[in-house]
Amino acid sequence: MEDSNNTQKRANPQGSALPGGIITGLLSAVMVVLDVMLVRSALLPMKFLAPVMILLLVLVALLGVLTHRTGRTGRFAAGTVVSILMAIIMIYGIIALSMLTNTLNSITTVSTEVTHVGVYVLTDDEADTLNDLETDTFGILSELDRTSTDGAIQQLNEDLDTEIATEEYDSLVQLVDALYSQECRAILLNSAYLDVIAEIEGYEDIEDRIREVTGLEVEEVVEEPVTQEPEETGSALTAETGSAFTLYISGIDSRNGLKAKSRSDVNILATVNTETHQVLLVSTPRDYYVPLSISNGVKDKLTHAGIYGVSVSMDTLAMLYDVDVDYYFRVSFEGFEDIVDALGGVSVYSEYTFTSSHNGQTFVEGYNYVNGEQALAFARERYAFATGDRQRGKNQMALIQAIIKKALSPDILVKYASILSAVEDNFETSLSYDLIAALVSDQLSTGAEWEVITYSVDGSNGSAVPYSMSTTAYVMIPDEETVATAKELMQAVLNGEVISQP
């Protein structure tokens, strides 16, 4: 028996090659998956992608040599341990890359908006369900937001298997008064109008006097703005954007979710030039009195444009500044809070010392390190300032600057999971995945430092009857000189000129 064993050892002195072959094969498979994902993600520039793929291939080959035979115990053991570590690192990379691409796909594939239309009755009405209102007349608006109203009527007819009776009213006040006087038992109303009605004197308590029996979700496709064709430049980044583009940043405080149409309390245009690496942020006050793109020249508060959809806000600002608004980026106020917390807080600059009326937080003149809750209070405050919404817009741009600075720092690498979760739940954009990937790749390739320039248009206090309201309300009359300055700054950035802080 001993002679037989010695004969086997002499016949195969280096041991078996099978375990090493299995290890190398599995390692190669993981490497191929990672390489394919890196290529498809388009996030890594070629000058980094090629060396990474070559390095992975060389390492797998070396580990294949080390684990080739089990007979060389020490080398095989060392090769096996290193192979396991490398596999873990590559699998971690696959998971992280998958999370990143899935998040980017989720926030860039949104193409619809939802209008929440409520069926409202008086608070003490006994109606509990739609069936209780089947034979009653529903009050509706005759012209305002008629697309959403008609969609809701269609849903009601289908749900009740009948054709409901309706009575048209010309204004929000007339519609609500009809409900208050019980001229009609129920009304159909875009819930975003509740905040508008609450601004009218005598109707501040509307949400205490009425209640929603049921809500109807009317879904519409977001219309893309018509923009000029960009110049072809040959790169993945600039072929789509012409090296510069304008992005509408909208901040909403919607009770019905991010996709719901809602008044926009943050209205910032970001003009981005990827060659000069400058970003111009222009803030427009929410009460700016301007014609909406759907109002046939009738003026309204800018914030009301969001009631009719993000594309109306974009087109209205495009009309105001005579510029193509190419994309939108929409975030809920909770999104501001979550992203700041995910980043581990940010350092934001305040021009004044003030105390927030939202949470009692005091901010000092200069830099303040804030968490998510504090950042939201900083961005929402307007009553503490003599200039009100003008200063709030400046503070919102300061917060965006702080977030950009922190997002471009190496600190985010260890927080990517929480950041991705915050982004996925609270943000949506019409920027394509390909464009975002090209921007990331370009930034990794150049490592350029971005300069953020801010500007706020101004105006004077006034009163008028806005398009979306039927009574006189506070508005801000645009200061045409500041609007003209904003136009010039935008065009300069789009043309590739380097501008300085006004």
Side-chain angles (χ1 to χ4, degrees):
M1 179 66 68
E2 184 176 348
D3 290 341
S4 175
N5 289 336
N6 289 335
T7 301
Q8 289 179 0
K9 290 179 181 179
R10 288 193 298 272
N12 190 15
Q14 294 184 344
S16 172
L18 181 60
I22 294 174
I23 292 172
T24 303
L26 292 174
L27 205 59
S28 298
V30 175
M31 179 194 68
V32 169
V33 172
L34 179 59
D35 286 346
V36 170
M37 290 187 66
L38 284 171
V39 172
R40 288 183 175 178
S41 73
L43 295 167
L44 206 59
M46 185 55 66
K47 73 175 186 179
F48 294 146
L49 181 61
V52 166
M53 295 178 69
I54 292 172
L55 177 62
L56 290 175
L57 182 61
V58 170
L59 289 175
V60 170
L62 289 175
L63 290 173
V65 172
L66 289 177
T67 59
H68 181 56
R69 291 286 183 180
T70 58
R72 299 180 179 182
T73 309
R75 190 166 75 174
F76 177 81
T80 300
V81 171
V82 175
S83 295
I84 292 172
L85 291 175
M86 185 176 176
I88 291 173
I89 292 172
M90 289 194 296
I91 291 172
Y92 179 81
I94 290 171
I95 294 172
L97 193 57
S98 177
M99 289 176 60
L100 176 57
T101 55
N102 287 340
T103 297
L104 291 178
N105 279 317
S106 70
I107 67 173
T108 58
T109 54
V110 178
S111 59
T112 59
E113 281 184 304
V114 171
T115 303
H116 182 91
V117 179
V119 176
Y120 296 100
V121 297
L122 294 176
T123 301
D124 57 0
D125 193 291
E126 296 180 354
D128 291 324
T129 67
L130 275 178
N131 290 328
D132 295 330
L133 303 169
E134 183 176 359
T135 60
D136 291 291
T137 298
F138 291 75
I140 62 173
L141 289 169
S142 58
E143 294 184 9
L144 283 179
D145 198 30
R146 192 54 193 256
T147 300
S148 300
T149 300
D150 289 342
I153 291 173
Q154 182 179 350
Q155 288 188 32
L156 282 178
N157 289 340
E158 293 174 356
D159 291 343
L160 296 173
D161 194 25
T162 187
E163 190 166 319
I164 64 170
T166 61
E167 182 70 30
E168 295 185 356
Y169 297 90
D170 293 333
S171 70
L172 288 172
V173 168
Q174 290 179 8
L175 179 66
V176 174
D177 283 346
L179 180 62
Y180 283 177
S181 65
Q182 296 185 307
E183 184 178 321
C184 58
R185 186 180 180 187
I187 61 173
L188 287 177
L189 185 66
N190 179 342
S191 63
Y193 278 121
L194 292 178
D195 293 323
V196 177
I197 299 169
E199 294 178 12
I200 301 173
E201 185 177 355
Y203 295 84
E204 297 88 350
D205 61 347
I206 184 169
E207 293 198 56
D208 294 326
R209 297 187 62 180
I210 68 174
R211 64 180 175 84
E212 184 180 275
V213 175
T214 190
L216 305 163
E217 305 293 325
V218 181
E219 190 172 81
E220 297 176 52
V221 175
V222 178
E223 295 182 8
E224 294 187 7
V226 179
T227 59
Q228 297 178 0
E229 289 296 325
E231 296 179 6
E232 293 293 338
T233 61
S235 79
L237 177 60
T238 57
E240 183 171 355
T241 67
S243 81
F245 58 91
T246 299
L247 172 73
Y248 169 53
I249 301 173
S250 171
I252 64 172
D253 189 14
S254 173
R255 69 193 77 197
N256 295 307
L258 186 60
K259 291 178 66 175
K261 292 180 181 179
S262 174
R263 296 187 310 170
S264 181
D265 286 336
V266 178
N267 296 281
I268 295 173
L269 288 185
T271 304
V272 181
N273 193 299
T274 60
E275 293 184 352
T276 63
H277 295 99
Q278 281 197 318
V279 178
L280 169 66
L281 300 178
V282 174
S283 175
T284 310
R286 67 189 296 277
D287 293 320
Y288 232 43
Y289 195 48
V290 294
L292 305 187
S293 62
I294 60 166
S295 64
N296 294 319
V298 181
K299 294 183 179 181
D300 200 347
K301 296 186 180 189
L302 175 61
T303 184
H304 293 165
I307 296 173
Y308 310 103
V310 67
S311 60
V312 175
S313 295
M314 293 170 69
D315 292 339
T316 298
L317 288 168
M319 290 165 51
L320 176 63
Y321 295 112
D322 192 23
V323 66
D324 288 337
V325 181
D326 305 290
Y327 309 101
Y328 72 83
F329 183 88
R330 186 160 55 179
V331 55
S332 64
F333 280 134
E334 291 77 8
F336 272 125
E337 185 173 345
D338 290 347
I339 193 64
V340 170
D341 281 337
L343 286 168
V346 298
S347 183
V348 62
Y349 185 82
S350 175
E351 293 182 349
Y352 302 98
T353 295
F354 69 93
T355 299
S356 169
S357 60
H358 294 280
N359 68 348
Q361 172 77 26
T362 296
F363 301 92
V364 300
E365 181 180 350
Y367 283 99
N368 298 259
Y369 201 83
V370 296
N371 60 24
E373 180 185 358
Q374 294 164 340
L376 183 58
F378 179 83
R380 297 186 71 175
E381 182 57 41
R382 59 172 169 161
Y383 298 110
F385 310 112
T387 55
D389 197 49
R390 302 169 182 84
Q391 185 59 42
R392 178 168 69 166
K394 292 180 181 179
N395 287 351
Q396 290 165 351
M397 291 190 294
L399 181 59
I400 292 173
Q401 283 181 290
I403 291 174
I404 290 174
K405 183 177 180 180
K406 189 67 175 285
L408 291 176
S409 71
D411 296 347
I412 69 165
L413 295 177
V414 295
K415 303 182 179 78
Y416 80 93
S418 58
I419 292 171
L420 292 180
S421 177
V423 168
E424 186 171 16
D425 294 337
N426 297 295
F427 294 78
E428 67 176 37
T429 181
S430 62
L431 286 165
S432 68
Y433 176 94
D434 290 341
L435 176 54
I436 293 177
L439 288 167
V440 172
S441 178
D442 183 69
Q443 181 62 29
L444 291 174
S445 179
T446 63
E449 292 189 10
W450 286 78
E451 182 182 15
V452 180
I453 308 295
T454 62
Y455 185 74
S456 298
V457 295
D458 206 347
S460 56
N461 298 332
S463 61
V465 180
Y467 169 77
S468 298
M469 305 172 73
S470 55
T471 186
T472 301
Y474 167 79
V475 298
M476 183 181 290
I477 308 300
D479 180 334
E480 295 301 336
E481 186 175 338
T482 61
V483 172
T485 299
K487 290 180 181 180
E488 292 173 3
L489 291 171
M490 289 180 190
Q491 286 303 319
V493 174
L494 290 171
N495 293 337
E497 301 173 28
V498 177
I499 65 173
S500 57
Q501 183 66 46

